[in-house]
Amino acid sequence: MRPPADPRRPAPLLLVLLTNFVLSFGKETLQTTAVTPQFQKNVDYVDFIYLNILEKKVLNNSEVSVQYLCSKPCIVSLEAVASSEFRTGVPVYRRRWKDEKNLYVSRTRQVHLKFPSIMVYRDDYIIRNSIIVHSVILYAWISHRSASSYGDEQNEDYQAAVAKNYTFLEAVPPFERPYKDHKVCLQWGADYLWMLQANRIPQCPHETDGVHVLEFIYASSGEKTGIVKKFEQFENRELETVRQHQVDYPMFTISIWLYLLHHCKKDLCGILYFIDSKEMYGTPAVFLNEEGYVHIQMHLMRGDDLAVKTSFSLPLKQWFRLDLSFKGGQIEVSSVGKNLKRHHHQSFTFREDFYYDDTAGYFVLGGSGYVNGIEAFFGPVKYYRLNVLETEQISNPLHDKDTVEQIELYYERCMDIQEIVYDYRYIVRQGEKTHRSCYYENYYLELIHKYGEKSKCDAFMWGKELREKYHTLFKLLQEMDFSSPDEDGSDTVVEVGRRIFEKVVKGLSSANGLSNLGSSVPLLVDSSCCGYHKASYFLAVIFETGLGVPVDRIKGLLYSLVGAQGNERLSVMNLGYKHYQGINNYPLDLELSYAYYSNIAIKTSLDQHNIKGEQAFVETIRLMDDELLKAQTKENGDVFMWLKHEATRGNAAAQQRLAQMLFWGQQGVAKNPEAAIEWYAKGAIETEDPVLIYDYAIVLFKGQGVKKNIKLALELMKKAAAKGLPQAVNGLGWYYHNFKRDYKKAAKHWLIAEELGNPDASYNLGVLYLDGIYPGVPGRNQTVAARYFYKAAQGGHIEGTLRCSLYYITGNMEDFPRDPEKAVIWAKHIAEKNGYLGHVIRKALNAYLELSWHEALLHYILAAETGIEVSQSNLAHICEERPDLARKYLATDCVWRYYNFSVSQVNAPSFAYLKMGDFYYYGYQNQSRDLELSMRMYTQAALEGDSQGFFNLALVMEEGNSIPSYILDHLEIDQALHSSNTSLLQELYYRCWNNSNQETISPCSLALLYFYMRVLWNNVLHSTLIYFMGTFLLSILVAFAVQSFQSLSGNDSEDATRAVQQDEPTLSNDLSQQESNPQSPLVTS
């Protein structure tokens, strides 16, 4: 149906008709008077303006049709405003005109738009930087202004407009624009150069919201360390805009592969969680509880937190994938198996708004300083920052399937071994009270059990196949004592592993022990399965280096991961080092390396306070340093006996050194804290030495090897402080802080000690600021605390260095921009001070000094694989000394491998650079000759201050080779001043001499002298004066020779005349004789 007619409908039509009539007959001119019907004055005319564009693109000479009507004298304005990626609202075109005569008339005007060349043309030789335009808006408006207002600002004009309109113009991408005809001719060379790059379209890097948080397997031991990741803002503006819009409506997905060994032993253990800039939990925070349920915590927009718990628990000892997706107030949690089939699924819905900003802090995978991590192996972890995906849509495959399967097989086998140990222990402990007992109840057997041999089980309940498979284990179980009533089952299993391990190590340390490595591997596997992970590290090194067995990278990785998960310190350091360097098929991953190194760095600090255990001070003793080797001693050695003699006589320095050697196990002396404390006490009482007084006070405060005595310790500490000892002043502050809680006095003493240069005091002041208890300063001040920690770290303070490394990995502090590499270096530096590593290095050194080559090689390999440089260069030296041993037992080239590892370190010695430089220069076995690499190695040695480095570079030049300019830049040699080879050689030889011992005649001094003599000789030979002098001397020599010859000839003539006169009678007689004798030779002659 049509709508009913409106009785008022004709009125607009009438207005239009009247208007048309007026426009036809009411045209004004300068010569005529306007004729306007009377009724027009009562009509309300409406000004309008319309834009009509055929092609709505940003092109030059685009034609715009502007239709408008003015009821009063007006100004018509056009303005084009453009927005680019750098600026918005920029006027790029303006046009204005007045219309004072054509009133009440609809007029149309054609306008040709003109835009800047960088908006409408492609780059060429003249237009170098065309811009990408996002949008262009063409505005049009009418203002009732007089002619005098024609020059006013257009922005104000637009606000007062009586009619407005606008339209959008489509921007043309830069590579779809035409070239501009500049009406100029380029030179041939310029035109050719431009044509080479004219059609190159720059490619933006691909960016996606999917982030690989972890791509390699990570062994989480359940400690307070984990992998720290930080997300940055997107470079892509569209993605970044979406991310910012999702702050109050989060949409993201997390996918985590796990092989869980145990559920959390405490309230909560960290899986993946976010920590904001205020060091508070943010969104999301995913934990595991004691029952194995997933605990999920979210931060709300209003400021508080909300948590939920799944109704299903996570499985143990099998690979599964935990998928979590967040969409606004909805959370989806799924557990997926290796076959990607969903095991469990649960949804949570909230009405609260979550706050989510993934760039305002950092993520942690595993443990941190706030919570312990889970005991598990992490597989690949993928994070989708902007998308909610279903399980089927997630692309996060489980890589490295060989290692994944090996982990499963290992724990299956170990379950069998542990079950055998448990059952055997149970049988022996139960004795005659269980149905599986080996003895029948009688008084005689009880007496035998009580006073005779310990109980054992000869009648095994296990099958023949199992007994044959683990025959060594059963044999060892029969030799062990399980009669202790208080012994825990798990400790028993570890004890069995320890005994197996010690038996293997004893055999390997014998004269030809390494020849038994093949048969020792099964025993080490049993020991590892029993939870004694020193054996795991042995196996990792054996398979990675091919020590007595073929190289097996997968098994090497397996036992490294197992040992690290079991908290074996050397295994953890091995993984940290391999990921730091990216060697042996381990990916370079600084965050993963830091997770391992920080674990051992924290333990190093704790281990130093524990005087028990197989620990020794880590000393840098090189096998090439004869002086240091001679200084090594034992309790019956000459050095130790002399120190003991001097200490007994009251020599304070001898007492200090002797006590340090015994307390820390230095210089080859076995660790003996009790004996060390006796010397501390003796020195403190007899010699009044402040250092000895302080050391004795510390052990009394802490009760290390002696009963605590706070009162005496305080007296001694005050006594040492009165003598001006900085560490004693710090000790007094520590006493007031820990025992009296008097923070004012503590801060007072620490400020004094800090001024005296004590790093402990700097660290302690930082703790006061961090805890918010510094006197007179309200609240926490992390910035000031971090500065004190940094100052302490510069002084070598362990805890201060750890704090700074944490700041560098998180990037949460303004003064510590995120720098994962620096964080790793600092954590590695502390980890390499660990006493358990020092014990292995000490065993290797002692074996070397005793010429026990097999034991020395074994323990130096164990230490070198952790990444400590001194052991790497020492091992390479042993392999040079005993190449027969290295070739026989190592599948890898020992010398090349470990010198190469050494020069990759931050603290590599100069002789290692020289060695590698020689290898590259001459070519080492299968390695090809590389002159440039050799020069780089020599340069590094030179930068370390080794004169041999400069000498070798000079010799390389002497052989006609040139040194690259970047190497000269590293050496800070000005190429402008030393442009010639002669000048450069002079500089190298001079630096060689300058870095050598100038008091003696060295090869550098002789080389420099020889160089100057050659230069002098060459200068003499090539000068103009030498030609004149040579000619002059040659003439003198010739003249002298001629004169000598002439004088010699004259003397010979006179002598001949005299001889003729004197010999005439004889000659006559002779002649007469010759005539009478025709056969005389004289006559014939």
Side-chain angles (χ1 to χ4, degrees):
M1 290 179 63
R2 298 181 64 182
D6 188 349
R8 294 171 296 176
R9 184 71 175 268
L13 180 60
L14 177 63
L15 177 63
V16 172
L17 292 174
L18 292 175
T19 303
N20 289 336
F21 175 78
V22 172
L23 289 174
S24 301
F25 297 95
K27 184 177 180 181
E28 295 184 26
T29 64
L30 293 176
Q31 288 79 22
T32 62
T33 304
V35 179
T36 305
Q38 187 67 30
F39 61 82
Q40 285 185 359
K41 296 181 180 179
N42 298 324
V43 178
D44 187 15
Y45 285 89
V46 178
D47 298 69
F48 67 84
I49 186 167
Y50 299 123
L51 296 173
N52 185 20
I53 306 177
L54 294 177
E55 191 174 7
K56 291 190 175 183
K57 289 188 177 181
V58 181
L59 300 172
N60 256 3
N61 293 318
S62 294
E63 189 176 33
V64 180
S65 177
V66 183
Q67 184 181 5
Y68 64 94
L69 181 146
C70 294
S71 61
K72 295 179 181 180
C74 64
I75 299 173
V76 182
S77 301
L78 286 181
E79 182 177 76
V81 177
S83 296
S84 69
E85 57 183 338
F86 302 110
R87 297 180 63 187
T88 58
V90 180
V92 292
Y93 173 80
R94 284 174 179 170
R95 177 75 184 273
R96 308 176 75 182
W97 65 89
K98 296 182 293 182
D99 197 336
E100 297 176 347
K101 300 178 181 181
N102 302 298
L103 304 180
Y104 313 116
V105 179
S106 175
R107 292 181 58 82
T108 301
R109 186 162 183 166
Q110 305 298 326
V111 178
H112 293 276
L113 302 178
K114 296 284 186 180
F115 295 108
S117 296
I118 57 175
M119 287 180 57
V120 292
Y121 294 114
R122 291 183 65 171
D123 280 356
D124 57 20
Y125 191 78
I126 297 174
I127 303 173
R128 289 303 182 98
N129 296 301
S130 62
I131 60 173
I132 300 174
V133 181
H134 290 165
S135 64
V136 177
I137 305 176
L138 182 62
Y139 294 97
W141 67 94
I142 298 174
S143 301
H144 286 171
R145 293 288 185 93
S146 62
S148 60
S149 64
Y150 183 73
D152 292 349
E153 289 292 331
Q154 285 186 267
N155 289 339
E156 297 179 3
D157 203 13
Y158 184 79
Q159 299 299 327
V162 295
K164 305 176 186 178
N165 208 333
Y166 69 90
T167 186
F168 286 94
L169 301 181
E170 182 184 348
V172 180
F175 289 94
E176 294 180 11
R177 300 172 187 169
Y179 285 106
K180 183 176 182 179
D181 185 5
H182 295 285
K183 308 294 183 182
V184 294
C185 252
L186 296 177
Q187 293 182 355
W188 177 86
D191 186 56
Y192 177 73
L193 288 175
W194 169 246
M195 291 304 297
L196 290 177
Q197 55 182 342
N199 295 315
R200 291 183 182 177
I201 301 177
Q203 298 293 325
C204 297
H206 177 68
E207 190 173 15
T208 176
D209 74 316
V211 178
H212 291 281
V213 178
L214 181 65
E215 296 184 86
F216 198 76
I217 297 175
Y218 167 54
S220 176
S221 60
E223 300 291 319
K224 288 192 171 184
T225 54
I227 301 173
V228 177
K229 288 284 184 177
K230 190 173 180 69
F231 292 170
E232 302 295 339
Q233 295 182 357
F234 289 104
E235 294 182 7
N236 186 307
R237 288 177 175 269
E238 294 180 3
L239 294 178
E240 180 59 21
T241 302
V242 174
R243 187 194 70 79
Q244 292 177 5
H245 287 168
Q246 292 183 2
V247 167
D248 57 351
Y249 192 84
M251 295 179 63
F252 60 94
T253 304
I254 307 170
S255 178
I256 307 171
W257 280 101
L258 288 171
Y259 187 88
L260 200 59
L261 295 176
H262 305 284
H263 292 148
C264 187
K265 295 179 181 178
K266 297 185 178 181
D267 294 335
L268 293 174
C269 294
I271 298 178
L272 177 69
Y273 46 94
F274 182 77
I275 296 177
D276 63 19
S277 57
K278 297 179 181 179
E279 296 295 317
M280 303 291 289
Y281 288 125
T283 302
V286 184
F287 304 96
L288 184 72
N289 68 7
E290 295 173 322
E291 293 82 19
Y293 301 119
V294 181
H295 175 100
I296 306 169
Q297 182 171 309
M298 309 291 286
H299 188 63
L300 304 179
M301 288 294 294
R302 65 171 185 246
D304 52 353
D305 297 310
L306 185 66
V308 295
K309 183 177 69 173
T310 60
S311 59
F312 63 88
S313 62
L314 300 182
L316 296 178
K317 294 187 178 177
Q318 68 179 50
W319 284 100
F320 67 92
R321 196 177 78 189
L322 181 64
D323 295 338
L324 302 100
S325 63
F326 300 77
K327 183 178 182 181
Q330 186 174 359
I331 304 175
E332 303 283 339
V333 186
S334 301
S335 172
V336 181
K338 281 179 65 178
N339 56 3
L340 300 183
K341 290 184 178 179
R342 182 180 291 177
H343 293 167
H344 303 281
H345 177 77
Q346 190 171 0
S347 300
F348 303 94
T349 304
F350 305 93
R351 296 180 180 178
E352 300 283 348
D353 292 328
F354 299 146
Y355 179 79
Y356 171 70
D357 186 355
D358 59 4
T359 63
Y362 58 92
F363 287 88
V364 179
L365 195 69
S368 67
Y370 306 104
V371 66
N372 287 76
I374 57 175
E375 295 185 50
F377 293 99
F378 281 89
V381 178
K382 194 164 184 181
Y383 197 107
Y384 295 91
R385 299 175 63 183
L386 303 177
N387 286 303
V388 178
L389 302 179
E390 298 291 336
T391 299
E392 297 76 14
Q393 297 175 307
I394 295 174
S395 176
N396 185 26
L398 187 59
H399 300 296
D400 201 358
K401 293 184 178 180
D402 292 336
T403 306
V404 166
E405 292 175 1
Q406 286 293 325
I407 290 175
E408 291 179 322
L409 293 173
Y410 171 83
Y411 283 101
E412 288 175 7
R413 185 182 191 280
C414 291
M415 286 177 65
D416 292 340
I417 291 177
Q418 292 177 10
E419 186 177 354
I420 291 171
V421 175
Y422 277 123
D423 290 345
Y424 187 93
R425 172 183 174 272
Y426 179 77
I427 293 171
V428 174
R429 291 286 300 274
Q430 290 298 314
E432 299 148 358
K433 297 180 181 179
T434 63
H435 66 281
R436 291 179 289 182
S437 64
C438 301
Y439 300 108
Y440 294 98
E441 183 176 352
N442 63 62
Y443 180 70
Y444 176 70
L445 289 178
E446 286 182 8
L447 292 176
I448 292 178
H449 178 68
K450 186 175 181 179
Y451 299 105
E453 296 180 357
K454 301 299 179 182
S455 300
K456 62 180 181 178
C457 185
D458 293 318
F460 292 128
M461 56 175 287
W462 297 276
K464 181 179 179 181
E465 182 179 351
L466 198 62
R467 293 201 310 271
E468 290 179 353
K469 185 177 180 180
Y470 303 111
H471 67 280
T472 308
L473 177 62
F474 282 112
K475 183 179 179 181
L476 189 63
L477 288 173
Q478 288 181 294
E479 300 173 359
M480 291 187 63
D481 178 19
F482 295 98
S483 59
S484 176
D486 300 325
E487 197 172 14
D488 182 65
S490 60
D491 292 339
T492 301
V493 176
V494 176
E495 177 63 19
V496 171
R498 184 186 67 81
R499 292 197 181 189
I500 297 174
F501 176 77
E502 288 179 352
K503 181 180 179 180
V504 172
V505 171
K506 185 177 180 180
L508 295 177
S509 300
S510 60
N512 294 308
L514 294 181
S515 57
N516 302 321
L517 264 172
S519 59
S520 300
V521 168
L523 293 173
L524 290 172
V525 173
D526 291 344
S527 176
S528 171
C529 278
C530 289
Y532 197 74
H533 290 295
K534 286 186 178 180
S536 302
Y537 181 61
F538 263 64
L539 289 166
V541 171
I542 286 171
F543 285 115
E544 281 193 358
T545 61
L547 184 60
V549 299
V551 174
D552 192 329
R553 302 289 186 193
I554 295 176
K555 287 186 177 180
L557 173 60
L558 166 68
Y559 289 109
S560 288
L561 291 170
V562 168
Q565 200 287 319
N567 249 331
E568 166 54 32
R569 288 162 174 77
L570 272 62
S571 265
V572 178
M573 291 182 66
N574 173 42
L575 287 173
Y577 172 64
K578 298 298 172 57
H579 285 295
Y580 170 51
Q581 295 287 350
I583 53 179
N584 286 16
N585 297 324
Y586 289 78
L588 177 64
D589 191 330
L590 295 177
E591 286 92 353
L592 185 52
S593 175
Y594 177 80
Y596 289 123
Y597 270 129
S598 60
N599 184 2
I600 303 305
I602 293 171
K603 285 183 170 59
T604 299
S605 177
L606 299 175
D607 290 341
Q608 288 190 350
H609 299 291
N610 183 14
I611 61 176
K612 297 180 180 179
E614 295 181 335
Q615 296 191 69
F617 190 80
V618 179
E619 299 172 280
T620 304
I621 300 172
R622 304 194 182 278
L623 302 185
M624 292 73 74
D625 193 334
D626 294 332
E627 294 298 323
L628 272 180
L629 291 180
K630 290 176 183 178
Q632 302 307 302
T633 183
K634 288 187 175 182
E635 287 76 356
N636 57 355
D638 294 339
V639 175
F640 185 86
M641 297 302 293
W642 180 83
L643 282 173
K644 189 174 182 180
H645 172 71
E646 290 296 312
T648 306
R649 292 177 57 193
N651 187 322
Q655 290 172 344
Q656 282 183 33
R657 185 63 193 138
L658 197 64
Q660 288 174 0
M661 290 166 64
L662 289 167
F663 193 86
W664 298 106
Q666 295 178 353
Q667 211 167 321
V669 177
K671 193 173 181 180
N672 190 343
E674 290 77 12
I677 291 169
E678 291 179 6
W679 287 109
Y680 282 136
K682 182 179 177 64
I685 296 170
E686 294 180 359
T687 65
E688 297 287 323
D689 182 76
V691 176
L692 288 169
I693 295 173
Y694 167 78
D695 289 337
Y696 187 47
I698 287 295
V699 297
L700 288 173
F701 268 129
K702 296 182 177 181
Q704 292 180 319
V706 68
K707 187 178 180 180
K708 279 188 178 182
N709 191 333
I710 305 299
K711 183 179 179 180
L712 178 59
L714 180 59
E715 291 178 4
L716 292 172
M717 191 66 73
K718 288 181 176 179
K719 193 174 183 180
K723 293 178 178 289
L725 191 69
Q727 52 264 47
V729 179
N730 172 75
L732 284 177
W734 177 78
Y735 166 78
Y736 287 115
H737 177 273
N738 285 4
F739 293 95
K740 295 296 183 181
R741 303 299 177 189
D742 190 339
Y743 303 128
K744 188 173 183 180
K745 283 189 176 181
K748 177 183 176 182
H749 284 89
W750 284 338
L751 285 171
I752 296 172
E754 198 229 358
E755 289 180 1
L756 296 173
N758 183 257
D760 292 327
S762 299
Y763 177 80
N764 292 334
L765 288 169
V767 171
L768 290 182
Y769 279 104
L770 186 65
D771 293 342
I773 56 176
Y774 192 90
V777 179
R780 304 175 68 207
N781 192 327
Q782 294 191 54
T783 304
V784 177
R787 290 170 186 167
Y788 275 114
F789 292 148
Y790 184 79
K791 189 172 183 180
Q794 294 293 93
H797 194 274
I798 290 180
E799 286 84 0
T801 306
L802 277 174
R803 290 274 185 181
C804 291
S805 71
L806 179 63
Y807 293 149
Y808 280 122
I809 196 68
T810 62
N812 250 14
M813 297 295 296
E814 184 178 354
D815 293 340
F816 294 83
R818 179 168 160 82
D819 191 339
E821 184 174 5
K822 187 176 287 188
V824 171
I825 292 172
W826 284 40
K828 180 177 184 287
H829 173 71
I830 300 302
E832 289 179 349
K833 296 179 180 292
N834 191 270
Y836 289 90
L837 174 62
H839 177 70
V840 175
I841 297 173
R842 171 49 60 181
K843 288 182 73 172
L845 181 60
N846 289 344
Y848 176 81
L849 295 174
E850 295 169 3
L851 300 181
S852 180
W853 294 102
H854 285 243
E855 185 180 4
L857 182 66
L858 173 64
H859 286 94
Y860 267 126
I861 290 176
L862 293 172
E865 288 296 312
T866 65
I868 186 165
E869 188 282 322
V870 65
S871 295
Q872 291 174 340
S873 55
N874 282 349
L875 178 57
H877 179 75
I878 288 178
C879 293
E880 283 185 306
E881 277 193 291
R882 291 294 306 272
D884 56 325
L885 201 67
R887 284 194 297 267
K888 184 176 181 180
Y889 294 111
L890 280 170
T892 55
D893 190 328
C894 176
V895 177
W896 174 267
R897 174 185 174 89
Y898 291 104
Y899 272 135
N900 211 356
F901 283 177
S902 177
V903 297
S904 300
Q905 302 276 20
V906 176
N907 57 338
S910 60
F911 70 84
Y913 290 117
L914 294 173
K915 281 281 186 182
M916 289 304 299
D918 291 343
F919 291 160
Y920 285 122
Y921 185 77
Y922 296 105
Y924 181 78
Q925 294 185 3
N926 296 329
Q927 303 296 329
S928 59
R929 190 169 183 255
D930 193 323
L931 187 61
E932 186 173 350
L933 271 177
S934 71
M935 286 191 285
R936 287 171 60 181
M937 292 295 160
Y938 293 148
T939 301
Q940 198 61 43
L943 292 173
E944 295 293 327
D946 196 318
S947 59
Q948 186 69 41
F950 290 108
F951 187 81
N952 288 359
L953 285 172
L955 289 182
V956 170
M957 282 198 65
E958 295 272 18
E959 294 183 0
N961 302 301
S962 59
I963 299 178
S965 58
Y966 72 90
I967 290 181
L968 297 177
D969 292 337
H970 280 300
L971 292 171
E972 295 182 355
I973 294 178
D974 191 344
Q975 300 179 51
L977 296 177
H978 305 283
S979 56
S980 66
N981 287 346
T982 303
S983 176
L984 188 55
L985 275 173
Q986 179 182 352
E987 180 67 16
L988 290 173
Y989 280 130
Y990 175 76
R991 292 194 182 190
C992 174
W993 170 77
N994 197 40
N995 282 275
S996 60
N997 187 359
Q998 300 178 13
E999 296 179 358
T1000 59
I1001 298 177
S1002 64
C1004 290
S1005 59
L1006 293 176
L1008 186 61
L1009 177 62
Y1010 178 62
F1011 172 79
Y1012 282 137
M1013 291 178 64
R1014 283 187 301 161
V1015 171
L1016 179 62
W1017 179 251
N1018 288 335
N1019 291 338
V1020 168
L1021 288 178
H1022 291 87
S1023 65
T1024 306
L1025 180 62
I1026 193 59
Y1027 289 114
F1028 172 76
M1029 292 297 296
T1031 306
F1032 178 72
L1033 290 174
L1034 184 61
S1035 302
I1036 293 175
L1037 287 174
V1038 169
F1040 179 76
V1042 171
Q1043 184 179 2
S1044 299
F1045 178 75
Q1046 290 176 350
S1047 61
L1048 183 61
S1049 300
N1051 291 336
D1052 289 344
S1053 301
E1054 292 177 0
D1055 291 342
T1057 305
R1058 294 191 190 98
V1060 169
Q1061 292 175 353
Q1062 292 173 1
D1063 295 342
E1064 274 184 342
T1066 308
L1067 180 59
S1068 301
N1069 293 335
D1070 290 340
L1071 286 173
S1072 60
Q1073 292 175 0
Q1074 290 173 7
E1075 289 175 357
S1076 61
N1077 185 5
Q1079 304 298 324
S1080 171
L1082 185 58
V1083 173
T1084 306
S1085 145

